[in-house]
Amino acid sequence: MQSPVAKNITLVISSLVFTFLIIEVVMRLFGWWHIYLQENQNRLSATASQDISILCIGESTTALGGANSWPRQLERILNNIQNDKTFRVINRGISGVKTTQILENLPGYLNKYRPTYVLAMVGINDETINLVASTDSSPIKRSLDEAHLDSLFERLR
């Protein structure tokens, strides 16, 4: 027979595992729901006139925002400022991906949507600036690693 302490520890651990499992399931369902809504909006855009299509690729800055994401705003702006052509903007942004993953998906998107133009907002998830703690006789200071920062600025375009 287990002691009360062992039962309590087992209960706490199983509760934590169950909680994390529920959180994971909810997050995955939210992700699938978001992709479903994005695909539905892309299908609605596809039924419009095929004059000019623009494929937008990128990370969360492209993917998120629903009707207020920059690809949806771009479509509204382009269709409101002129009457000659109809613009169809396809949002294929994916949250949390890096540029290499976006490039791997690009050929499939090009075959599926056959866009006139492709716009990309990428790179946010690729590099991070590491903050380094330096110590001396004064309290701890946080400073940027200058070599890393210089190389980061060199890669910016």
Side-chain angles (χ1 to χ4, degrees):
M1 181 153 205
Q2 281 186 329
S3 68
V5 173
K7 284 183 181 180
N8 287 340
I9 290 173
T10 304
L11 180 64
V12 167
I13 290 173
S14 61
S15 297
L16 286 173
V17 168
F18 183 72
T19 301
F20 286 124
L21 181 66
I22 293 295
I23 290 171
E24 180 69 23
V25 168
V26 168
M27 290 175 65
R28 291 209 181 239
L29 288 174
F30 176 76
W32 290 331
W33 174 72
H34 175 72
I35 290 170
Y36 169 78
L37 291 178
Q38 189 179 54
E39 278 298 316
N40 190 38
Q41 185 64 40
N42 289 338
R43 270 193 298 280
L44 291 175
S45 292
T47 60
S49 174
Q50 298 293 322
D51 282 339
I52 297 177
S53 60
I54 302 170
L55 173 64
C56 297
I57 57 175
E59 306 106 343
S60 58
T61 53
T62 302
L64 301 179
N68 293 320
S69 65
W70 72 262
R72 294 290 156 245
Q73 291 181 34
L74 176 65
E75 184 176 62
R76 283 194 303 270
I77 290 169
L78 291 173
N79 285 318
N80 287 335
I81 62 172
Q82 53 76 48
N83 294 322
D84 297 336
K85 298 195 180 280
T86 301
F87 289 86
R88 173 175 67 106
V89 178
I90 301 159
N91 184 352
R92 288 305 305 179
I94 303 170
S95 297
V97 299
K98 295 185 178 188
T99 302
T100 55
Q101 295 164 307
I102 293 169
L103 290 175
E104 288 171 3
N105 294 331
L106 185 58
Y109 296 156
L110 294 175
N111 289 333
K112 181 176 182 178
Y113 298 110
R114 306 242 180 247
T116 310
Y117 300 101
V118 176
L119 296 178
M121 181 181 277
V122 297
I124 291 172
N125 296 330
D126 292 347
E127 290 290 328
T128 58
I129 298 174
N130 295 324
L131 292 176
V132 179
S134 62
T135 58
D136 53 17
S137 58
S138 61
I140 294 178
K141 297 178 183 178
R142 297 189 61 84
S143 64
L144 293 174
D145 178 9
E146 291 181 19
H148 181 76
L149 190 58
D150 289 342
S151 67
L152 176 66
F153 285 133
E154 288 172 10
R155 289 190 302 262
L156 292 177
R157 295 181 187 146

